Amino acid sequence: MSVLAAPAIRTLTVELGERSYPIHVGPGLLGNPAHLRPYLAGNQVMIVTNEAVAPLYLDALERGLGEGLTVRQVILPDGEQTKTLASVERIWDALLEAGFNRRCTLIALGGGVVGDMTGYAAACYQRGVAFIQVPTTLLAQVDSSVGGKTGVNHPRGKNMIGAFWQPRAVLVDTATLHSLPPRELSAGLAEVIKYGLIRDIDFLAWLEAHMAALRGLDDALLSEAILRSCATKAAIVVEDETEQGVRALLNLGHTFGHAIETHQGYGAWLHGEAVATGMAMAAALSRRLGWLSAADVERSETLLHAAGLPTAAPAAMSGDDFIARMRLDKKNLDERIRLVLLSELGDACIHDRTPPDELRAFIESYPRA
């Protein structure tokens, strides 16, 4: 992974050989053809966005593409509950109706739901076409837009249908964060905190020092947080692109969190809120195993609360509710529930040796709200 600096736009590269791609971070990227045109496969462009984002940024993105292109749009409903094969079929229908060929490019303009569905549509259309990520939420900017995971939800489990398909570029226009509701910003901060917990204790301390300013939308600090988060994720993706080993560490809190999202109904809890509670549960279980101190658990919970995030599990979820959904997690092997836990703050590990009865007992005793 290489890191470059520029006056306003900063760039890192995800080093995947012939499939390497840049992550550009800075203000004003949506309206700048220099950061869009080089990554188009041909002159056919399909922009996929949703009803919340389109009024804000669709026109700017189209202007940023410049002239001489055939540009079409798919505007989907907003919300995690729309992350389905039916929505992806709408993208495929639009591509076919427009007569787009293998040299078309899909552009995902929106949050993680739009990005995941657009990437999956691109991976499947005519057995694979180009796509570009233009994430407009903090969560998508630091997590889902990077690394090539694409897909949709199933009623029985989150992200159970999908493919690995890398984008040609990721354009993070930090100006979009100023239109983000505070709850969505906090949800994105959950994934930012994750990188400090799993691999970068210095970044964790930096976040503790700057959390109030990040929530206050300090542009310079937000850019720094995004770059540091993406740099950590890019390094892990380069090491393990298809999650055969170390990439699973990026799922800290996700096994508990996905169970919450599935049980509560997609969209009731934001993904980052569920992951925050999942990370708090992972820290508490790590404490129970003797790896973290009580002070470590309190430190992690304090930072999550400072970010405006929950740490208590839903009152209506029993231990059996959790276990049933956690058994469907993609990390599981040989019927063992594999969890990402913390051997210490800043160092994550994969653990699959907690017997189901003990895990259920831990969950039952965990605080509810």
Side-chain angles (χ1 to χ4, degrees):
M1 180 191 61
S2 58
V3 179
L4 306 174
I9 307 301
R10 298 172 66 186
T11 299
L12 24 110
T13 302
V14 182
E15 303 282 5
L16 291 172
E18 293 181 355
R19 293 175 297 107
S20 297
Y21 57 91
I23 305 170
H24 298 303
V25 180
L29 286 170
L30 282 177
N32 191 333
H35 293 287
L36 281 167
R37 294 289 290 241
Y39 308 108
L40 302 180
N43 64 2
Q44 297 175 332
V45 178
M46 182 68 71
I47 302 172
V48 182
T49 187
N50 66 32
E51 293 169 350
V53 175
L56 299 172
Y57 303 118
L58 182 56
D59 287 347
L61 179 60
E62 290 187 338
R63 289 194 301 271
L65 287 168
E67 300 179 351
L69 302 173
T70 300
V71 181
R72 299 289 185 270
Q73 310 88 17
V74 178
I75 301 176
L76 300 170
D78 186 25
E80 183 79 28
Q81 67 275 11
T82 69
K83 192 177 173 183
T84 64
L85 280 173
S87 294
V88 174
E89 286 182 7
R90 286 186 56 180
I91 302 173
W92 291 328
D93 287 345
L95 289 165
L96 290 165
E97 288 171 7
F100 277 19
N101 58 41
R102 287 181 172 176
R103 295 192 68 230
C104 71
T105 304
L106 277 65
I107 299 179
L109 175 66
V113 171
V114 167
D116 283 5
M117 290 193 296
T118 304
Y120 186 52
C124 298
Y125 186 66
Q126 298 197 21
R127 297 188 174 91
V129 296
F131 91 109
I132 296 169
Q133 290 271 22
V134 185
T136 60
T137 67
L138 180 60
L139 193 148
Q141 290 171 356
V142 300
D143 185 52
S144 59
S145 67
V146 178
K149 278 188 177 181
T150 71
V152 297
N153 298 330
H154 186 277
R156 292 181 178 271
K158 186 176 170 70
N159 294 329
M160 296 302 290
I161 301 166
F164 287 98
W165 192 250
Q166 300 291 347
R168 285 200 165 198
V170 180
L171 276 66
V172 177
D173 190 332
T174 53
T176 62
L177 297 179
H178 288 268
S179 64
L180 205 60
R183 186 183 172 198
E184 292 277 0
L185 183 72
S186 290
L189 288 168
E191 294 285 359
V192 175
I193 292 168
K194 175 190 74 178
Y195 294 112
L197 288 172
I198 67 170
R199 184 165 274 205
D200 192 344
I201 191 66
D202 291 337
F203 186 39
L204 195 71
W206 185 90
L207 290 170
E208 289 170 325
H210 297 295
M211 184 55 68
L214 290 168
R215 293 185 72 185
L217 297 174
D218 182 292
D219 287 318
L221 292 177
L222 283 168
S223 291
E224 182 66 20
I226 293 166
L227 261 295
R228 291 182 71 163
S229 298
C230 288
T232 297
K233 181 160 190 181
I236 291 173
V237 168
V238 168
E239 186 177 347
D240 177 23
E241 182 180 0
T242 58
E243 202 171 292
Q244 302 304 305
V246 68
R247 184 167 177 171
L249 299 180
L250 292 167
N251 291 312
L252 176 70
H254 286 58
T255 304
F256 292 117
H258 285 173
I260 292 171
E261 287 185 88
T262 306
H263 179 270
Q264 297 291 288
Y266 296 123
W269 283 51
L270 297 180
H271 175 67
E273 294 169 338
V275 166
T277 296
M279 290 192 294
M281 295 179 75
L285 182 56
S286 300
R287 163 67 174 156
R288 188 164 175 151
L289 293 170
W291 299 342
L292 296 186
S293 68
D296 291 332
V297 174
E298 183 179 0
R299 182 180 177 186
S300 60
E301 289 184 353
T302 297
L303 182 57
L304 290 167
H305 291 156
L309 292 161
T311 58
M317 281 191 77
S318 68
D320 286 336
D321 290 332
F322 270 97
I323 294 295
R325 287 156 182 83
M326 291 165 68
R327 287 190 183 282
L328 295 174
D329 189 85
K330 298 185 293 300
K331 295 186 300 300
N332 295 341
L333 295 174
D334 300 326
E335 298 184 355
R336 290 183 177 181
I337 295 176
R338 302 174 82 219
L339 298 168
V340 181
L341 300 179
L342 297 169
S343 54
E344 60 182 7
L345 294 185
D347 189 9
C349 63
I350 297 172
H351 179 76
D352 64 358
R353 297 177 185 174
T354 302
D357 288 346
E358 291 184 22
L359 183 57
R360 185 182 291 104
F362 160 75
I363 294 169
E364 293 284 8
S365 66
Y366 189 81
R368 297 296 202 276

